[in-house]
Amino acid sequence: MPDVLDHSPYDALLLLSFGGPEGPDDVVPFLENVTRGRGIPRERLKEVGQHYFLFGGVSPINDQNRALLKALREDFAEHGLNLPVYWGNRNWAPYLTDTLREMAADGRRRVLVLATSAYASYSGCRQYRENLADALATLESEGVRPPKVDKLRHYFNHPGFVEPMTDGVLRSLADLPEDVRDGAHIAFTTHSIPTAAADTSGPVEAHGDGGAYVEQHLEVARLIADAVRERTGADHPWRLVYQSRSGAPHIPWLEPDICDHLEERHAAGVPAVVMAPIGFVSDHMEVLYDLDTEATAKAGELGLPVRRSATVGADPRFAAAVRELVLERSAVERGQDVTRCALGALGPSHDLCPVGCCPARAPKPAAAGADSPFA
């Protein structure tokens, strides 16, 4: 039997994700949850939901979270980390508030949160923290004593996140026809966000052109490209590109779009492209539609060979990384010195989101940060 690992002062881990519909009847209600407060007509949501209807109204994200939940529990048990793992979503069942209510009923008092978003941004970090604050406030209004929550640091440059994606790129390159393999370019993709949100992502000192959001993605792209070069001997040109834009046309968003990039690369005579979705933890709808469907169709029109590499998903190395992050943060809370694991030049991210980090357009309370209203 493995030695029991010390996770004090924490008594639970919460896997916090976006959520997604699990059938055709769920699609519009799910999108209403996602867009609540924006005044988008129901008919417009039905149009937006066509991406989901192409896949039977089912997003793969919930099944992928179930797989990750299983991987985490198995890894924890195998290594002697006796920490229960719960799961809650922002926009679909199991809802975050319901899960926190369950955790409170189970007597959980100190909870670590793993968000299924690896990078700094409003939508990828602070919005999760705002949702946590909303849920905790709801419990308080019901007379339920909510647990204290802390969020695990950003893990974009942890080896357990980077190495599975590196292997995915290598597999995709190996799957290309031999005559185009060495000349293939790599398009590292992530979710486009408004440039104003990117510029203010991360701590205040990181604000500027693209902020921490772009800087962190570029770092991961460099780490993977360097690892591919070391393991293959081939130097594949690469670029960070974007997908899944959803905002109003007059608002600047990060560019270039993946489909525009494929057109440009084809015009430049590039023989093949590997699309590597480094901005996503799992193969959810935006990966399946924007890359596997839309971008792949564009490449087919161009006659450009493309492959799409795998996301991290429930890779055992990622589960092990989460265990390491849990033990790291637990030791920090006990006042111990710890060695923080991180690849590249940026080093490990902060434990506590500072004031001014990834600000919202309209200020709202956010838990698990220096400005948290919850003690």
Side-chain angles (χ1 to χ4, degrees), residues 133-147:
D134 287 343
L136 295 171
T138 297
L139 264 59
E140 284 190 336
S141 72
E142 296 170 351
V144 176
R145 180 186 175 193

Side-chain angles (χ1 to χ4, degrees), residues 101-123:
R101 191 181 291 112
E102 176 189 358
M103 297 175 84
D106 289 347
R108 310 303 177 193
R109 304 306 319 141
R110 289 291 302 273
V111 174
L112 273 172
V113 177
L114 168 68
T116 55
S117 175
Y119 302 87
S121 70
Y122 171 74
S123 58

Side-chain angles (χ1 to χ4, degrees), residues 132-192:
L132 280 166
D134 287 343
L136 295 171
T138 297
L139 264 59
E140 284 190 336
S141 72
E142 296 170 351
V144 176
R145 180 186 175 193
K148 174 176 168 50
V149 299
D150 290 320
K151 182 176 175 290
L152 289 173
R153 66 176 172 90
H154 299 302
Y155 46 83
F156 64 92
N157 56 358
H158 194 287
F161 186 67
V162 175
E163 290 171 2
M165 292 189 294
T166 300
D167 287 348
V169 171
L170 288 166
R171 287 192 298 269
S172 292
L173 287 167
D175 190 50
L176 284 168
E178 188 174 356
D179 61 331
V180 299
R181 187 179 306 148
D182 286 347
H185 285 217
I186 306 173
F188 293 104
T189 78
T190 190
H191 205 301
S192 184

Side-chain angles (χ1 to χ4, degrees), residues 71-94:
L72 292 172
R73 288 169 174 164
E74 290 177 348
D75 178 273
F76 287 9
E78 180 183 350
H79 291 87
L81 180 57
N82 186 24
L83 189 70
V85 187
Y86 295 74
W87 169 36
N89 289 326
R90 290 168 48 188
N91 298 298
W92 201 249

Side-chain angles (χ1 to χ4, degrees), residues 197-271:
D199 293 346
T200 57
S201 58
V204 172
E205 60 270 20
H207 293 179
D209 187 14
Y213 186 74
V214 171
E215 180 183 44
Q216 291 170 0
H217 281 87
L218 286 173
E219 178 76 346
V220 172
R222 277 191 289 265
L223 288 167
I224 295 174
D226 289 348
V228 168
R229 183 187 311 110
E230 290 171 6
R231 291 169 62 175
T232 66
D235 190 5
H236 294 276
W238 61 269
R239 184 168 182 181
L240 177 64
V241 302
Y242 302 93
Q243 61 176 90
S244 312
R245 174 182 172 137
S246 59
H250 67 281
I251 297 175
W253 282 52
L254 292 173
E255 296 178 334
D257 176 78
I258 177 62
C259 290
D260 294 338
H261 180 67
L262 292 176
E263 288 185 339
E264 187 272 333
R265 290 293 78 202
H266 177 258
V270 168

Side-chain angles (χ1 to χ4, degrees), residues 22-45:
E22 300 199 78
D25 292 342
D26 296 344
V27 172
V28 173
F30 163 73
L31 292 173
E32 287 175 333
N33 288 340
V34 173
T35 62
R36 181 167 287 118
R38 301 184 200 172
I40 300 177
R42 189 175 179 87
E43 290 306 312
R44 172 59 181 150
L45 293 179

